[in-house]
Amino acid sequence: MINTFRKNHFQKCATLIWLAFFSILIMLGAPLIGVSQLSWSEVFQRVSENRDAMIFWQIRIPRVLVAFLAGATFALSGMVFQALFRNPLVSPFTLGVSAGASFGAALSIWLGITFTFFGITSISVFSFFGAVFSIVCVWFLAKIKKGSSISTMLLAGVAVSFFFASFIMFIQYLSDINQAAQITRWIMGGLFVFGYEQVLNILPFTMIGFGVIWFFTNELNLFTTGEEMAQSRGVHVDGMVRILFFLISLMIGGVVAVCGPIAFVGIVAPHICRLLFGSNHLYLTPATFLFGGSFLVVCDAVSRTVLAPAEIPLGVITALIGGPFFLWILITRSGEDII
């Protein structure tokens, strides 16, 4: 049995190494997609001396980095929610967290509040509090009906999403043309990156979140067996849920402030990684991080090249992929697995 465990461990580690290798290849190749006239000698010229080199280093490279970090964040958040509620359809999008963060960003734009605190913008702060408020609402609604909190979680998330969506539309109605256009950009999701400031804005949210989630991998494994089992093994369930909810709200708020509420990444990436690596979060956490980031990089490459020079909003691409995937999970999984 020990030999079987070691063999399984080495196989999963090898698969993780291959996944990391392909992720690096995707990140190296994505900036070159759509580049036809830029030579390698021009790439390494000074940005001030060559316009194409400036586009490559100041737009293409930061955009790929933001896409990877955002995809990894959405994927990790979905993985944590699915472990807590033992439901493969739960994600920041279906639980209304993305909608709450979007409402916070829209409110910040409409009120015209702009400030920066240690590199954190006002939109990030409002997005964070919107995400926290939405997840508190969902948790409270799910707990009202005792004994069936998990079965009501998706319905509560849908209700909260519609609630915030109505407020976003109301804010758009009251906004001027420029504000309404900026709010629409958050709703559809997209990457409009110039320079590395937005990379630095997202990086702390993603890396701190990954570190904390990695630290709690054993607790997440116990949560997948049920709250009672986790509590019997010494896990402080309520405290752990509060920590993880706060963490996910912080991560989603920071990312949505930059690229908007990109849907379905938190469902697609964790589910595919769970098929490849199983439900052990020791392997699932780094796999979801790598796959989620690479997945969104590929989607972004598709969004900016399919109808070039026009650009499809990134949220549209992920929705076209994630919608059928969501239905496939709903159809293939048994009712007990879903709720």
Side-chain angles (χ1 to χ4, degrees):
M1 184 174 180
I2 296 177
N3 291 333
T4 303
F5 173 78
R6 288 179 177 176
K7 182 179 179 181
N8 189 33
H9 172 73
F10 285 124
Q11 286 178 344
K12 290 182 178 180
C13 288
T15 307
L16 271 176
I17 293 173
W18 277 108
L19 181 58
F21 174 74
F22 283 115
S23 298
I24 293 173
L25 287 182
I26 289 172
M27 292 186 67
L28 292 176
L32 301 175
I33 296 177
V35 176
S36 58
Q37 300 178 348
L38 187 64
S39 63
W40 282 107
S41 60
E42 292 175 323
V43 166
F44 293 103
Q45 287 184 7
R46 291 184 178 180
V47 171
S48 59
E49 297 176 355
N50 189 289
R51 186 178 69 89
D52 292 331
M54 184 272 292
I55 293 174
F56 183 83
W57 288 108
Q58 296 296 323
I59 297 178
R60 292 292 183 90
I61 295 295
R63 180 165 178 156
V64 168
L65 293 176
V66 169
F68 185 88
L69 293 173
T73 301
F74 283 121
L76 286 174
S77 302
M79 181 199 74
V80 170
F81 281 144
Q82 289 159 22
L84 291 179
F85 302 114
R86 305 181 298 283
N87 191 317
L89 299 182
V90 176
S91 73
F93 183 77
T94 55
L95 280 178
V97 182
S98 296
S102 299
F103 169 73
L107 186 63
S108 175
I109 295 169
W110 179 56
L111 295 176
I113 298 175
T114 56
F115 62 83
T116 302
F117 182 73
F118 289 105
I120 302 176
T121 64
S122 57
I123 295 180
S124 297
V125 174
F126 274 72
S127 297
F128 166 67
F129 283 109
V132 170
F133 182 66
S134 65
I135 204 167
V136 168
C137 291
V138 171
W139 180 255
F140 176 75
L141 291 172
K143 286 297 183 181
I144 289 177
K145 193 175 181 180
K146 296 182 179 180
S148 59
S149 60
I150 294 177
S151 63
T152 58
M153 185 61 62
L154 287 178
L155 294 177
V158 171
V160 170
S161 294
F162 280 122
F163 175 79
F164 283 114
S166 63
F167 272 100
I168 291 173
M169 287 189 291
F170 181 67
I171 289 176
Q172 284 183 295
Y173 177 76
L174 298 177
S175 303
D176 58 34
I177 295 177
N178 293 330
Q179 289 175 332
Q182 193 175 358
I183 293 171
T184 302
R185 177 233 187 218
W186 299 113
I187 296 174
M188 300 185 72
L191 300 176
F192 304 95
V193 181
F194 183 83
Y196 294 87
E197 180 179 357
Q198 291 173 319
V199 177
L200 297 177
N201 287 339
I202 292 181
L203 185 62
F205 296 105
T206 303
M207 300 313 298
I208 292 174
F210 176 79
V212 174
I213 293 169
W214 176 267
F215 182 78
F216 288 125
T217 52
N218 185 54
E219 286 78 2
L220 289 173
N221 287 336
L222 293 174
F223 264 107
T224 58
T225 62
E227 293 183 9
E228 295 79 9
M229 179 63 72
Q231 194 165 10
S232 67
R233 295 296 181 91
V235 177
H236 188 274
V237 174
D238 291 337
M240 183 62 58
V241 169
R242 292 191 187 97
I243 291 173
L244 292 176
F245 272 21
F246 179 84
L247 176 70
I248 298 304
S249 300
L250 182 65
M251 294 167 63
I252 295 299
V255 172
V256 169
V258 173
C259 58
I262 300 174
F264 293 109
V265 179
I267 292 179
V268 174
H271 193 77
I272 291 178
C273 290
R274 200 172 287 110
L275 293 175
L276 295 174
F277 293 91
S279 58
N280 188 343
H281 288 80
L282 179 65
Y283 311 104
L284 186 60
T285 300
T288 301
F289 177 87
L290 293 170
F291 188 89
S294 302
F295 173 74
L296 200 60
V297 170
V298 173
C299 290
D300 179 58
V302 172
S303 72
R304 61 181 173 81
T305 56
V306 169
L307 297 179
E311 184 174 317
I312 303 174
L314 184 56
V316 174
I317 299 297
T318 58
L320 289 174
I321 298 174
F325 192 88
F326 186 97
L327 294 175
W328 175 73
I329 297 176
L330 189 64
I331 293 172
T332 57
R333 300 293 293 265
S334 65
E336 291 77 7
D337 291 334
I338 296 299
I339 61 176

